[in-house]
Amino acid sequence: AFLLPTNSISGGLFVLYEHARMFQKKGHEVLLVFQDSKAARKITTYPGMEGIPTARLEDLTGSSPDSRPFFDFAIASWWATAYAIHLIPARHSAYFVQGWEEQFYEAPLRGYALFVHKTLEENFYFFTVSAQLKRYLDSIQGRGERAPATVIPNAVHPADYGPDRAAYPRQAWPDQKTKRLRVLVEGPGSQAYKRIEQAFEVLLEFKDKEEVDVFYVSSEGYRKPNWRIDRFFEAVPHAQMPGIYASCDVLLKLSSLESFALP
């Protein structure tokens, strides 16, 4: 059982969906459990998930103890899920740490970092996505004896990407001097560490609006009136993203923090 915070568009969740598919393909029984009681039970934002069973955490805790499924591993996937993973009956509890979650919170929310760090002191089986995160996890003094963290690196499917996949192709330009640069800004604007505000400040350096087209992809509807956006995409299903990437000349990604190098 994987305990996920919610069912939404997120790189970290997509990694877990991919792991769930691989486990099932190897013949294991897999259940994706969403901690958010309002989360949709059906996964529609990532391809190939039709055969993966899902549930909300309340579906398990609301049933009688005798009727609840018992798992070999219950795996937390975000600091808040680490506080609830004990609600899923299992022989072992694990924690898949995908990022520097302590650093996700900037003022005035820095206090949340204390709650994050507390989860890293617990006696879980730890999995993570990079050698740097492994060194950090292994350096934390926790309760009891625990095995070193295991690195499971992320990857991409290269065949899914390429210039021939452009979903918004441009007509041939009669004069290359008039070609407008197409720039893609990507990320939720409400998360400060994604630095979306700074990306749009950079784009203000183009004084002539005829020089550049701006595509903006966000997992949420948040945007500011002064952001110059020519085409806005919200909550784009994963399978449609390669076509947007291939339609643009430049990806402007100014995040101050990304857990792994895929962005």
Side-chain angles (χ1 to χ4, degrees):
F2 288 94
L3 180 57
L4 285 62
T6 188
N7 175 8
S8 64
I9 291 180
S10 158
L13 292 179
F14 290 169
V15 168
L16 293 161
Y17 296 163
E18 193 76 6
H19 277 265
R21 289 201 313 175
M22 288 189 290
F23 271 121
Q24 190 184 67
K25 188 175 180 180
K26 286 179 176 290
H28 300 292
E29 294 181 75
V30 181
L31 180 68
L32 295 178
V33 183
F34 303 116
Q35 189 173 13
D36 182 1
S37 62
K38 297 177 182 172
R41 287 184 174 86
K42 184 178 180 182
I43 298 173
T44 59
T45 54
Y46 200 77
M49 299 300 294
E50 298 80 6
I52 305 291
T54 61
R56 292 178 183 153
L57 183 58
E58 63 183 18
D59 298 335
L60 301 183
T61 58
S63 60
S64 118
D66 293 337
S67 64
R68 294 176 195 169
F70 189 81
F71 298 91
D72 297 301
F73 268 94
I75 304 173
S77 62
W78 169 251
W79 70 267
T81 66
Y83 283 99
I85 196 68
H86 68 280
L87 296 174
I88 300 178
R91 291 187 180 87
H92 306 288
S93 292
Y95 189 2
F96 190 18
V97 180
Q98 295 195 64
W100 305 92
E101 296 174 16
E102 295 168 272
Q103 300 178 30
F104 287 170
Y105 300 98
E106 301 182 347
L109 301 175
R110 285 295 301 161
Y112 279 101
L114 298 174
F115 293 98
V116 178
H117 192 83
K118 184 66 177 174
T119 66
L120 304 181
E121 296 176 345
E122 296 300 316
N123 194 25
F124 290 113
Y125 287 97
F126 280 93
F127 304 92
T128 191
V129 294
S130 72
Q132 188 179 19
L133 271 166
K134 169 185 164 56
R135 287 193 294 270
Y136 176 60
L137 291 170
D138 290 346
S139 72
I140 295 174
Q141 298 299 313
R143 295 196 190 95
E145 296 295 326
R146 68 181 190 192
T150 300
V151 176
I152 307 176
N154 291 336
V156 296
H157 298 289
D160 292 346
Y161 299 88
D164 58 320
R165 294 179 174 269
Y168 303 91
R170 291 176 289 200
Q171 301 301 319
W173 300 93
D175 181 356
Q176 286 298 315
K177 292 181 180 179
T178 65
K179 183 176 179 180
R180 298 170 70 177
L181 189 71
R182 189 178 281 176
V183 178
L184 173 61
V185 178
E186 178 191 44
S190 65
Q191 296 182 11
Y193 70 91
K194 292 292 186 178
R195 299 292 187 260
I196 302 300
E197 180 96 35
Q198 287 82 349
F200 282 105
E201 288 176 1
V202 168
L203 291 170
L204 290 176
E205 295 297 315
F206 288 95
K207 305 301 182 185
D208 184 354
K209 289 189 176 182
E210 295 305 312
E211 288 185 276
V212 62
D213 277 324
V214 180
F215 281 23
Y216 177 38
V217 175
S218 175
S219 57
E220 59 187 19
Y222 180 93
R223 49 181 168 165
K224 292 189 175 181
N226 63 325
W227 292 357
R228 198 198 137 198
I229 302 170
D230 294 290
R231 190 184 288 264
F232 178 63
F233 303 86
E234 181 182 0
V236 177
H238 182 79
Q240 295 179 20
M241 282 305 300
I244 296 176
Y245 285 129
S247 300
C248 297
D249 302 303
V250 177
L251 170 62
L252 183 59
K253 191 87 171 177
L254 302 184
S255 308
S256 63
L257 176 67
E258 289 289 355
S259 303
F260 35 87
L262 299 189

